[in-house]
């Protein structure tokens, strides 16, 4: 007992010096010793009581999903149900009073339960600390360990933004040094309160708590907890913190789950965590219905290799502030950019098989990550204190160097999507130019000054894809969506770039023949408005690759909710199987499977349903609705497939072209200006504006299409248009005093949206 007390004191010292989350107890608190065996359970050396009024007793009826019940009983299926005979074989050891309990021994069929009564949740003294010192519990009908009622320091409606301190929580678990603890558990499907469909019981995990739970190690951190689950592994209905020790989980479904929607926090602050989840039909490694916050420790998680699940998954933010994290899955949820520690997210173009070796090095060959995957994967998230920003890294799979074709900003090598909705709204119809007397041709205040466009100003229109060759801009406002498949082997993490997509073998390194893909006969994927369906009816490859070796993947951006993967042969021409219906931003990746020995290659497209595809425009921006409205009508698109560049200046050519599209004017070529290229993307709009007297030039025969537009100049243009058209519009309402200087794209969108 002296040794145990000393160990507990060390835990207490660690608790007082820890910033967040370790278990607390009093050195004066006596440990109650519970010894488990299949024949007798003892408490402090005496046979356990069978009276429910005792601090520890045996004989309680186990909660399980009974067989032979109809749908009024609950939501369970036949596979969730158990017979009374099977349930009766289980010995339930119940703790009913606060305190510290040292538990060891084996129950081949049993359960360790903690229930301090229905009033415990609001009682700060209702704390039970379980010190697991060589526990081996198996339960085939319910969780092996369960906390029913203890103190809950948080409200289930309180959004903590991912930060919790569970040192005072009523459910405390300590893994004794050098002890190996095993919990093999089942679950309880939803059972209704009699006469209702309200939940009476539902316990999904093998190790379960209805209240927030705090798990820590002792001083050495050598204690282990091994959980094997027929459903989920380690669950809490509110918050969960792991602070030390070693936790190993193998689960048919989620490895860890905290399940209060938008509220729960899974917090990992130290220790070692290994999760092999999704051994059944589905399952994430760590699944928080709220936040996942990682402050320390070493975490390795794996998800189901067939369903769209990830090693890490959270409905709210995933925040990595420290520790070493390696998460593998079909689709990992996106990590928040507010994380304090650098991280890298890798979305592979095709699935890699179990046994694949992942190697990440710096340019000098130093290894930051070397891992042999135990399961197939298509997504990897890695974070370590050794990762540095603005540093080049190289990635290898089975010794073959990898490249990427997209990153956090979008796709590389060609114009990969990001098109305006293809429902007809983007077509620029005919219109009648305004009539009336032409304004004075003399240069007045607010007209465009002489000069050359500033260095670096785009010569392409603002609503075209940067880098596209002259002549590739479609006059109806739709953008080309073909991709070249070119990529980079230099993985560089920055403050804004963490994610890399279309990761595949570098052609030169693999020695394979490069393949590129097109869709919809080269037309690409067109974005659509909300409620519309994406048109996707065909895939073509540059060489004859078997359909069984071509993989198609669609994920949302950033990765949160949607992922579908099929081989081309599995779709059998029905591409609707893979396409989403909900509003959002998405990426389509088509690639040769990694196992093909002859070919390699990947092409990607980005598209949107009912939302903007731009990573630099947020829904809470004041200009969002204006940009969205103009985008959906094909009036303004973007500077690339994923960037609108709201703060970039607007050129004269772009301003007149955008205004003309808004007004659906009839284009007219003109010889009024020496520097307007005939039949260029903007010349017909400039010709209309010149003929209508909306623009004049510098008085020397120059329009200066690449010069930036100031707010005052745009105000003069709109004033002329309003006067000529006879519209009853207040110019001051269109141009608030808060905007001055060079006009930005966001300001132009806001202005023009008022004319719709």
């Amino acid at each position: 007992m002296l040794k145990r007390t000393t160990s507990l004191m060390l835990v207490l010292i660690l608790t007082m010096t820890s910033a967040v989350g370790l278990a607390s107890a009093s050195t004066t608190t006596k440990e109650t010793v519970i010894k488990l065996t299949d024949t007798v359970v003892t408490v402090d050396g005496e046979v356990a009581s069978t009276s429910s009024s005792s601090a520890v007793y045996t004989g309680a009826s186990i909660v399980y999903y009974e067989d032979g019940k109809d749908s009024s009983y609950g939501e369970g299926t036949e596979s969730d149900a158990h017979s009374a005979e099977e349930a009766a074989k289980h010995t339930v050891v119940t703790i009913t009073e606060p305190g510290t309990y040292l538990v060891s021994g084996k129950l081949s069929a049993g359960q360790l339960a903690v229930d301090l009564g229905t009033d415990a949740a609001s009682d700060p003294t209702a704390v039970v600390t379980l010190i697991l010192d060589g526990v081996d519990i198996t339960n085939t009908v319910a969780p092996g360990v369960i906390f029913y009622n203890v103190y809950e320091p948080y409200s289930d409606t309180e959004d903590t933004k991912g930060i919790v301190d569970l040192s005072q929580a009523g459910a405390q678990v300590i893994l004794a040094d050098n002890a190996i603890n095993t919990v093999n558990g089942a679950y309880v499907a939803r059972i209704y309160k009699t006469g209702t469909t309200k939940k009476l019981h539902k316990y999904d995990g093998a190790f379960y708590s209805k209240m927030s739970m705090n798990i820590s190690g002792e001083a050495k951190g050598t204690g282990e907890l091994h959980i094997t689950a027929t459903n989920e592994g380690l669950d809490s209905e509110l918050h969960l913190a792991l602070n030390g020790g070693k936790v190993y989980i193998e689960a048919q479904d989620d490895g860890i789950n905290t399940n209060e929607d938008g509220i729960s926090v899974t917090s990992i602050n130290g220790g070692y965590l290994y999760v092999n989840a999704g051994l059944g039909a589905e399952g994430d490694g760590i699944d928080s219905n709220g936040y996942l916050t990682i402050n320390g420790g070493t975490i390795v998680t794996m998800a189901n290799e067939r369903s769209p699940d990830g090693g890490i998954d959270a409905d709210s933010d995933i925040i990595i502030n420290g520790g070493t994290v390696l998460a593998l899955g079909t689709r990992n949820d996106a990590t928040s950019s507010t994380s304090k520690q650098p991280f890298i997210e890798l979305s592979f173009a095709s699935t890699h098989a179990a046994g694949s070796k992942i190697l990440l090095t710096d340019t000098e060959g130093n290894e930051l990550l070397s891992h042999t995957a135990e399961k197939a994967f298509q997504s990897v998230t890695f974070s370590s204190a050794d990762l540095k920003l603005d540093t080049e890294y190289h990635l290898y799979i089975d010794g073959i160097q990898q490249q990427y074709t997209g990153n956090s900003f979008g796709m590389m090598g060609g114009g990969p999507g990001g098109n305006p909705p293809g429902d007809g709204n983007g077509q620029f119809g005919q219109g009648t130019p305004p009539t009336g007397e032409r304004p004075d041709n003399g240069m007045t205040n607010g007209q465009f000054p002489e000069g050359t466009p500033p260095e670096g100003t785009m010569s392409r229109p603002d609503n075209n894809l940067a880098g596209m060759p002259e002549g590739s801009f479609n006059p109806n406002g739709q953008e080309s969506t073909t991709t070249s498949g070119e990529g980079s082997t230099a993985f560089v993490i920055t403050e804004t770039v963490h994610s890399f997509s279309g990761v595949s073998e570098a052609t030169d390194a693999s020695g394979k023949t490069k393949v590129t893909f097109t869709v919809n006969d080269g037309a690409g994927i067109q974005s659509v408005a909300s409620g519309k369906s994406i048109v996707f009816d065909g895939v073509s490859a540059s060489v004859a690759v078997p359909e069984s070796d071509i993989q198609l993947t669609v994920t949302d951006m950033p990765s949160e909710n949607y992922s579908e993967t099929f081989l081309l042969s599995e779709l059998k021409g029905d591409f609707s199987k893979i396409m989403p219906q909900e509003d959002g931003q998405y990426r389509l990746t088509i690639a040769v499977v990694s196992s093909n020995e002859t070919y390699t290659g990947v092409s990607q497209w980005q598209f949107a349903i009912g939302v903007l595809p731009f990573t630099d425009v947020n829904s809470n921006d004041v200009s969002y609705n204006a940009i969205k409205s103009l985008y959906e009508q094909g009036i303004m698109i973007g500077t690339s497939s994923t960037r609108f560049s709201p703060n970039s200046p607007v050129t004269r050519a772009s301003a007149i072209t955008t205004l003309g599209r808004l007004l659906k004017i009839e284009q007219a070529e003109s010889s009024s200006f020496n520097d307007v290229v005939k039949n260029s993307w903007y010349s017909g709009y400039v010709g209309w504006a010149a003929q209508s007297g909306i623009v004049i030039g510098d008085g020397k025969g120059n329009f200066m299409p690449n010069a930036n537009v100031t707010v005052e100049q745009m105000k003069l243009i709109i004033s002329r248009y309003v006067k000529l058209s006879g519209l009853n519009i207040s110019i001051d309402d269109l141009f608030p005093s808060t905007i001055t200087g060079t006009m930005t794209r966001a300001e132009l969108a806001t202005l023009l949206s008022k004319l719709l």
Side-chain angles (χ1 to χ4, degrees), residues 4 10 33 80 100 163 191 237 258 377 422 450 513 535 608 612 659 755:
R4 297 289 331 144
L10 289 172
V33 179
D80 301 320
T100 300
I163 301 174
I191 300 172
E237 291 190 12
T258 49
F377 64 93
E450 294 186 46
T513 300
V535 175
L612 290 173
L659 178 62
L755 297 177

Side-chain angles (χ1 to χ4, degrees), residues 617-701:
V617 180
N618 298 317
S619 59
N620 58 352
D621 291 346
V622 294
S623 59
Y624 179 86
N625 290 331
I627 294 171
K628 184 173 184 291
S629 178
L630 295 182
Y631 170 80
E632 290 178 343
Q633 297 185 57
I635 296 168
M636 295 185 75
I637 305 174
T639 56
S640 78
S641 62
T642 57
R643 297 188 68 77
F644 184 79
S645 302
N647 297 319
S648 295
V650 180
T651 64
R652 291 180 57 169
S654 295
I656 295 303
T657 299
T658 305
L659 178 62
R661 289 173 178 162
L662 172 73
L663 303 176
K664 299 181 180 179
I665 59 90
E666 183 177 352
Q667 297 184 50
E669 294 292 335
S670 172
S671 58
S672 300
F673 302 114
N674 300 322
D675 56 353
V676 171
V677 179
K678 190 175 181 180
N679 296 321
S680 62
W681 57 269
Y682 62 88
S683 60
Y685 295 102
V686 173
W688 155 77
Q691 291 179 10
S692 304
I694 292 176
V695 296
I696 301 168
D698 65 354
K700 299 178 181 180

Side-chain angles (χ1 to χ4, degrees), residues 9-156:
M9 288 177 66
L10 289 172
V11 172
L12 295 171
I13 293 171
L14 289 174
T15 298
M16 290 185 288
T17 59
S18 173
V20 177
L22 293 180
S24 63
S26 170
T27 54
T28 61
T29 300
K30 176 182 179 297
E31 294 178 6
T32 299
V33 179
I34 301 174
K35 179 70 174 179
L36 309 174
T37 72
D38 289 337
T39 55
V40 64
V41 174
T42 62
V43 179
D44 287 338
E46 302 291 331
V47 176
S49 170
T50 58
S51 171
S52 60
S53 61
S54 299
V56 182
Y57 77 99
T58 61
S61 298
I62 195 166
V63 176
Y64 71 103
Y65 199 93
E66 301 177 25
D67 63 5
K69 300 291 186 178
D70 60 22
S71 59
S72 65
Y73 175 70
E75 297 178 0
T77 65
E78 183 177 348
S79 62
D80 301 320
H82 303 276
S83 67
E85 291 77 14
E86 181 184 6
K89 295 177 182 179
H90 291 77
T91 299
V92 179
V93 179
T94 306
I95 296 171
T96 66
E97 294 183 4
T100 300
Y101 297 84
L102 174 65
V103 189
S104 63
K106 179 176 182 178
L107 287 178
S108 299
Q111 182 183 73
L112 180 61
V114 177
D115 190 349
L116 304 191
T118 55
D119 296 331
S122 59
D123 181 0
T125 68
V127 178
V128 168
T129 300
L130 297 179
I131 303 177
L132 303 183
D133 191 16
V135 166
D136 185 354
I137 300 174
T138 297
N139 195 312
T140 63
V141 301
V145 176
I146 186 168
F147 287 86
Y148 284 111
N149 292 293
V150 289
Y151 175 58
E152 177 52 70
Y154 289 93
S155 162
D156 61 6

Side-chain angles (χ1 to χ4, degrees), residues 162-317:
I163 301 174
V164 292
D165 178 357
L166 301 186
S167 60
Q168 305 302 315
Q172 300 286 335
V173 178
I174 296 176
L175 307 179
D177 279 339
N178 304 320
I180 297 178
N181 303 282
T182 302
V183 176
N184 302 312
Y187 62 98
V188 179
R190 187 184 182 102
I191 300 172
Y192 297 143
K193 293 181 179 179
T194 302
T196 75
T197 57
K198 295 181 179 179
K199 181 179 74 172
L200 178 61
H201 299 289
K202 184 177 185 290
Y203 314 122
D204 292 329
F207 198 113
Y208 196 90
S209 180
K210 293 183 67 178
M211 310 295 183
S212 293
M213 177 165 51
N214 201 41
I215 300 178
S216 306
E218 282 194 319
K220 297 178 182 178
T222 57
E224 300 180 10
L225 172 60
H226 296 256
I227 299 173
T228 302
T230 61
N231 189 41
E232 295 177 351
L234 178 62
D235 283 21
S236 169
E237 291 190 12
L238 194 50
H239 304 309
L240 172 68
L242 301 179
N243 309 295
K246 301 177 180 180
V247 178
Y248 303 83
I249 301 173
E250 293 199 356
Q252 295 296 303
D253 203 315
D254 297 337
I256 291 177
N257 186 280
T258 49
N259 54 42
E260 187 63 46
D261 291 346
I263 300 296
S264 283
V265 179
T266 299
S267 181
I268 303 174
N269 304 307
Y272 178 82
L273 172 65
Y274 169 92
V275 180
N276 185 3
L279 298 175
E282 61 182 4
D284 296 302
I286 302 174
D287 182 0
S288 173
N289 289 8
Y291 300 86
L292 170 58
T293 302
I294 299 174
N295 297 313
T298 299
I299 300 100
V300 179
T301 69
M302 294 167 282
N304 187 282
E305 53 195 338
R306 297 170 300 278
S307 62
D309 291 308
I312 50 176
D313 181 288
D315 292 349
S316 298
D317 286 345

Side-chain angles (χ1 to χ4, degrees), residues 396-413:
Y396 303 85
I397 300 293
D398 294 329
I400 300 176
Q401 188 166 18
Q402 305 289 296
Q403 67 177 23
Y404 65 92
T405 55
N407 60 25
S408 301
F409 284 125
M411 250 67 86
M412 302 167 57

Side-chain angles (χ1 to χ4, degrees), residues 393-650:
Y393 296 105
H394 294 163
L395 177 69
Y396 303 85
I397 300 293
D398 294 329
I400 300 176
Q401 188 166 18
Q402 305 289 296
Q403 67 177 23
Y404 65 92
T405 55
N407 60 25
S408 301
F409 284 125
M411 250 67 86
M412 302 167 57
N419 308 303
D423 59 359
N425 289 334
Q427 305 299 324
F428 304 123
Q430 300 300 308
T432 302
T435 60
E437 184 178 350
R438 293 170 61 90
D440 179 59
N441 285 334
M443 292 292 287
T444 60
N445 184 32
Q447 294 179 349
F448 299 120
E450 294 186 46
T452 57
E455 183 178 351
T457 300
M458 292 196 311
S459 60
R460 301 292 300 154
D462 284 352
N463 57 358
N464 194 11
L465 285 174
M468 290 179 65
E470 284 292 334
S472 64
F473 184 71
N474 191 325
N476 72 358
Q478 307 295 335
E479 299 171 24
S480 167
T481 60
T482 57
T483 58
S484 70
E486 297 298 334
S488 172
T489 58
F491 292 78
V492 180
I493 309 168
T494 70
E495 287 285 355
T496 54
V497 176
H498 301 275
S499 303
F500 301 87
S501 65
V503 180
S504 64
E505 296 170 333
T507 306
D508 293 343
S510 68
K512 299 177 182 179
T513 300
K514 178 183 173 181
V515 181
T516 58
F517 300 92
T518 58
V519 297
N520 294 339
D521 294 325
I525 301 293
Q526 302 296 326
S527 297
V528 297
S530 182
K532 301 287 186 177
S533 295
I534 294 292
V535 175
F536 183 23
D537 56 19
V539 175
S540 299
S542 59
V543 299
V545 181
E547 289 191 353
S548 58
D549 280 359
I550 299 174
Q551 182 171 326
L552 291 80
T553 303
V554 176
T555 60
D556 57 346
M557 298 175 55
S559 180
E560 293 291 347
N561 301 306
Y562 190 87
S563 179
E564 290 290 344
T565 296
F566 286 89
L567 296 175
L568 184 57
S569 57
E570 295 173 332
L571 291 172
K572 301 184 185 302
D574 183 5
F575 296 97
S576 64
K577 294 179 181 178
I578 200 170
M579 280 296 165
Q581 300 295 322
E582 299 296 322
D583 288 358
Q585 300 180 31
Y586 299 93
R587 177 194 294 122
L588 166 64
T589 302
I590 303 179
V592 180
V593 297
S594 59
S595 59
N596 188 289
E597 298 180 355
T598 306
Y599 301 108
T600 186
V602 54
S603 297
Q604 292 187 287
W605 297 260
Q606 289 181 195
F607 60 93
I609 302 176
V611 299
L612 290 173
F614 307 124
T615 59
D616 56 356
V617 180
N618 298 317
S619 59
N620 58 352
D621 291 346
V622 294
S623 59
Y624 179 86
N625 290 331
I627 294 171
K628 184 173 184 291
S629 178
L630 295 182
Y631 170 80
E632 290 178 343
Q633 297 185 57
I635 296 168
M636 295 185 75
I637 305 174
T639 56
S640 78
S641 62
T642 57
R643 297 188 68 77
F644 184 79
S645 302
N647 297 319
S648 295
V650 180

